[in-house]
Amino acid sequence: MALNLLLVWLINALALLALPYLVPSVQVDSFYTALVAALLLGFVNTLIRPLIVLLTLPVTVLTLGLFIFVVNGLLFWFVASFVKGFSVAGFWSAVLGAIVYALISWAASALVFRRRIVVVRRDEIR
């Protein structure tokens, strides 16, 4: 369990390091900065994001779920304002950065943690 958490943390840090190559308005200075930012992003997404999503639920419903992208971008920008060496140029850069970061992280996690689905078929016994 702890090894999986460390591996996910490392995957997220590597995704942050790859992000400036795809979104030039997001900058990450070093691997250490990426580790700190990934850890802080994890804490923010675990502790603060559910509360903000709950508070903005009416707007999210009215926009058919698209407001979640705004929430993710704001939290991404929020973390960038605290971590030295991790910078985002503006709000729309933060929204795009959050989307690309999530996609990179999801794809890398899917490659590392291959979930195998086993289908058990039981023949009917009469």
Side-chain angles (χ1 to χ4, degrees):
M1 180 73 173
L3 184 63
N4 283 348
L5 284 175
L6 288 174
L7 196 54
V8 167
W9 182 31
L10 181 65
I11 288 170
N12 288 338
L14 291 174
L16 270 178
L17 278 178
L19 193 59
Y21 295 104
L22 300 171
V23 183
S25 56
V26 175
Q27 295 299 320
V28 180
D29 288 345
S30 67
F31 182 66
Y32 175 74
T33 302
L35 282 173
V36 171
L39 184 66
L40 197 54
L41 277 168
F43 281 132
V44 165
N45 283 331
T46 303
L47 301 174
I48 298 173
R49 185 176 181 268
L51 180 63
I52 292 176
V53 167
L54 184 65
L55 290 174
T56 61
L57 193 59
V59 177
T60 304
V61 170
L62 283 175
T63 61
L64 302 175
L66 293 176
F67 193 73
I68 292 293
F69 291 116
V70 172
V71 170
N72 289 342
L74 287 173
L75 291 176
F76 194 76
W77 199 14
F78 176 71
V79 169
S81 70
F82 280 107
V83 178
K84 192 173 189 169
F86 177 43
S87 62
V88 177
F91 170 72
W92 291 111
S93 298
V95 171
L96 181 62
I99 292 169
V100 174
Y101 169 68
L103 289 173
I104 294 171
S105 178
W106 167 76
S109 294
L111 287 174
V112 172
F113 298 110
R114 292 181 185 253
R115 306 257 194 262
R116 294 185 182 187
I117 299 174
V118 178
V119 177
V120 178
R121 192 174 129 200
R122 296 183 184 177
D123 293 330
E124 188 176 320
I125 300 175
R126 293 182 191 201

